[in-house]
Amino acid sequence: MNIGFVGLGIMGKPMAKNLLKAGHKLTVYDIVTASVEELTAAGAEAAASAAEAAARSELTITMLPDGPDVEAAVLNPGGVLEGAAAGSIIVDMSSINPVTAQKVGAACAEKGVEFLDAPVSGGEPKAIDATLAIMVGGSQATFDKSLPVLKSLGSSATLTGPVGAGNVTKLANQIMVACNIAAMGEALVLATKAGLDPEVVFNAVKGGLAGSTVLNAKAPMVIGRNFKPGFRICLHQKDLRNALLAAESMKVALPFTSMVQQMLVASVNNGRGELDHSAIVNIIEDMAQCQVRKPE
């Protein structure tokens, strides 16, 4: 398939490379020239604008930081929708407010362009090895047509409802991940402060009910003091902000989400916004004056 790809960041770049590996013809656009050059070296073609990328493509993927970026890249002059032909498909794989996804979807429908919101979970490691979990909102027909492309990017792709449902599902995912990391941080700080080896504690509990994919991925990073970003704190803070905005519009109380969001805001203000979201633990460490690490 001829595919356009707009947004070659920490997630978009490896996703675009996986589409090339799967044999698709790819046209890419990003405001960062170096990212475009890296993809063209891998076999993609460069476009001068998002509109040009879409004009050459049957399906165009956008992978951008937040809702305003998606609106600008899709709806503004020179954007994806300007170049997209009627009957083509736009798949936004960004994590954004569901209301924004619905707004973009409605604009696409007016032009006869099909639209899916399809945010992903798994961070950079799963973007690299094409094992992302993809949560999709849109029509069954559009989902079926797009599924071969989605399967090039993830190990699962699930249609969760109409346009906007993909991002509601992603927000639910982000709530569970953030609260899990925060709880893990409290537990490991407590264990370390008590004089225990946090790695021993991790190995003792990971096979029990407290075990989780989040624990297995993030506890070793914290214990090893490795906060190289797979998913940055500033982006998780954005996701929880969107979750709280969506919850407010539906009159849903999210008390744990609100507390963890405050920790993420504090982390950004403390200069940790570009660290991996496992660095949520640093806030708890600061309060306890105790750093999670193996005993000397």
Side-chain angles (χ1 to χ4, degrees), residues 121 173-185 202 210-222 236 276-278 280:
S121 178
N173 178 87
Q174 294 302 80
I175 288 169
M176 288 186 271
V177 171
C179 292
N180 199 332
I181 292 173
M184 176 199 76
F202 162 60
S212 69
T213 301
V214 170
L215 181 69
N216 291 341
K218 300 304 177 180
M221 293 181 69
V222 173
H236 211 146
D276 185 77
H277 55 172
S278 58
I280 293 172

Side-chain angles (χ1 to χ4, degrees), residues 233-245:
I233 277 179
C234 60
L235 293 178
H236 211 146
Q237 186 270 329
K238 174 264 300 184
D239 287 342
L240 293 197
R241 182 186 72 236
N242 284 334
L244 291 168
L245 288 171

Side-chain angles (χ1 to χ4, degrees), residues 268-291:
V268 171
N269 291 339
N270 288 341
R272 294 167 174 154
E274 298 301 312
L275 298 181
D276 185 77
H277 55 172
S278 58
I280 293 172
V281 173
N282 295 157
I283 293 290
I284 302 161
E285 292 174 330
D286 291 347
M287 291 189 290
Q289 290 294 291
C290 174
Q291 194 174 81

Side-chain angles (χ1 to χ4, degrees), residues 145-226:
K145 284 187 279 189
S146 305
L147 190 56
V149 174
L150 300 179
K151 284 183 174 179
S152 300
L153 301 172
S155 57
S156 69
T158 306
L159 183 64
T160 62
V163 170
N167 273 289
V168 173
T169 306
K170 175 59 187 290
L171 294 179
N173 178 87
Q174 294 302 80
I175 288 169
M176 288 186 271
V177 171
C179 292
N180 199 332
I181 292 173
M184 176 199 76
E186 290 190 358
L188 293 181
V189 168
L190 175 65
T192 305
K193 191 77 170 183
L196 304 183
D197 183 336
E199 185 170 11
V200 172
V201 173
F202 162 60
N203 288 326
V205 304
K206 68 181 181 182
L209 191 59
S212 69
T213 301
V214 170
L215 181 69
N216 291 341
K218 300 304 177 180
M221 293 181 69
V222 173
I223 296 166
R225 313 312 295 171
N226 169 26

Side-chain angles (χ1 to χ4, degrees), residues 2-295:
N2 292 323
I3 299 175
F5 205 107
V6 176
L8 302 171
I10 193 169
M11 296 290 288
K13 189 185 300 181
M15 291 167 68
K17 288 180 179 178
N18 284 329
L19 292 172
L20 288 171
K21 291 175 186 175
H24 298 289
K25 184 178 179 182
L26 198 65
T27 302
V28 300
Y29 174 73
D30 194 282
I31 58 174
V32 179
T33 305
S35 297
V36 174
E37 290 173 348
E38 186 174 337
L39 262 295
T40 55
E45 295 183 1
S49 66
E52 183 182 335
R56 297 188 200 173
S57 306
E58 304 159 69
L59 181 151
T60 303
I61 293 171
T62 51
M63 189 61 171
L64 299 157
D66 202 357
D69 307 291
V70 174
E71 287 193 59
V74 177
L75 304 182
N76 280 4
V80 174
L81 191 56
E82 181 180 293
S88 65
I89 300 171
I90 296 174
V91 181
D92 178 45
M93 304 191 78
S94 319
S95 296
I96 63 175
N97 191 317
V99 174
T100 303
Q102 291 167 343
K103 176 182 177 180
V104 174
C108 290
E110 287 181 7
K111 192 178 176 181
V113 173
E114 299 177 59
F115 178 78
L116 298 174
D117 67 307
V120 304
S121 178
E124 184 184 17
K126 290 187 178 292
I128 291 170
D129 62 18
T131 59
L132 291 164
I134 306 172
M135 296 147 271
V136 189
S139 74
Q140 184 71 55
T142 306
F143 175 74
D144 291 342
K145 284 187 279 189
S146 305
L147 190 56
V149 174
L150 300 179
K151 284 183 174 179
S152 300
L153 301 172
S155 57
S156 69
T158 306
L159 183 64
T160 62
V163 170
N167 273 289
V168 173
T169 306
K170 175 59 187 290
L171 294 179
N173 178 87
Q174 294 302 80
I175 288 169
M176 288 186 271
V177 171
C179 292
N180 199 332
I181 292 173
M184 176 199 76
E186 290 190 358
L188 293 181
V189 168
L190 175 65
T192 305
K193 191 77 170 183
L196 304 183
D197 183 336
E199 185 170 11
V200 172
V201 173
F202 162 60
N203 288 326
V205 304
K206 68 181 181 182
L209 191 59
S212 69
T213 301
V214 170
L215 181 69
N216 291 341
K218 300 304 177 180
M221 293 181 69
V222 173
I223 296 166
R225 313 312 295 171
N226 169 26
F227 299 111
K228 179 183 177 183
F231 187 71
R232 288 175 288 169
I233 277 179
C234 60
L235 293 178
H236 211 146
Q237 186 270 329
K238 174 264 300 184
D239 287 342
L240 293 197
R241 182 186 72 236
N242 284 334
L244 291 168
L245 288 171
E248 182 181 9
S249 71
M250 293 181 275
K251 301 297 186 286
V252 174
L254 300 178
F256 294 138
T257 304
S258 298
M259 286 190 288
V260 178
Q261 165 71 337
Q262 295 303 309
M263 295 167 66
L264 288 167
V265 170
S267 296
V268 171
N269 291 339
N270 288 341
R272 294 167 174 154
E274 298 301 312
L275 298 181
D276 185 77
H277 55 172
S278 58
I280 293 172
V281 173
N282 295 157
I283 293 290
I284 302 161
E285 292 174 330
D286 291 347
M287 291 189 290
Q289 290 294 291
C290 174
Q291 194 174 81
V292 175
R293 60 170 67 242
K294 292 178 67 65

